[in-house]
Amino acid sequence: MNYLERRTGRIAQLLAGLTVLALGEVMIIKAHLGVIPWDVLAQGMLHQFGLTIGQWSMIIGGVVLLLWIPMRERPGLGTVTNVALTGFGLDFFTRVLPAPHGPVAAGLFLVVGVVLNGIGTAAYIGSRLGSGPRDGLMTGLVRLTGGSVRLVRTCIEIAVVTAGALLGGNLGAGTFVFALSIGMIVHVALPYFSRAKAVVPRPEPCPEAA
């Protein structure tokens, strides 16, 4: 397989992964049982200022990318694509995906959504075309502060969820289900999508979704 074929395959994997990630994210939103941490913030902004969940996802992603500049983090193709495609995907699937009826269907939407989000995350990470904006923020702060990945990521997630909940975002059981399970799902799925020959990295604790 030549370089062009490998590059095309990685880009196709990136796009497919982000599409699946967005579908899973919308299924979690449609379940109305609590959304993923960064969507709590996006929903809070939506409730306060209007626009759409996808537009706020892109705005927040863009602001986070600006924070990369003083930390000297370098975006890749996957970084920019992550912001744009996830935002458009959120709005598209929000329009076309029906809401579940009843608690059983809602619970199923939540579980399937978390699994799809994890698989999509593993696919885009495995393409090795650039980290997402939130992951870059985490790694930049780890380097600047000297703190552990676990501590820095936890502090970021707590700050984001708290701000989003105060603004009216949907913080609920689904938020905690996602936080507790997404890392394991990505860990299991990542070897199947890794484009590297070396040892597959183990994301810790929980990679982002949008």
Side-chain angles (χ1 to χ4, degrees), residues 22 57 174 182:
S57 176
I182 191 65

Side-chain angles (χ1 to χ4, degrees), residues 11-49:
I11 292 173
Q13 178 175 313
L14 169 70
L15 298 177
L18 291 174
T19 301
V20 172
L21 183 152
L23 173 59
E25 204 165 321
V26 170
M27 291 186 73
I28 297 170
I29 293 171
K30 294 277 186 176
H32 292 290
L33 295 172
V35 298
I36 71 175
W38 284 89
D39 280 351
V40 177
L41 177 59
Q43 279 193 339
M45 299 299 287
L46 185 157
H47 292 323
Q48 296 296 322
F49 305 107

Side-chain angles (χ1 to χ4, degrees), residues 32 75 90 124 133-134 144 170 187 193:
H32 292 290
L90 287 175
Y124 102 74
R134 286 90 175 170
L144 288 176
N170 184 10
H187 174 72
F193 294 101

Side-chain angles (χ1 to χ4, degrees), residues 135-159:
D135 290 329
L137 175 64
M138 176 192 70
T139 55
L141 288 175
V142 167
R143 190 180 66 254
L144 288 176
T145 64
S148 69
V149 170
R150 185 182 301 275
L151 175 61
V152 171
R153 187 58 179 254
T154 299
C155 290
I156 292 173
E157 299 290 332
I158 290 174

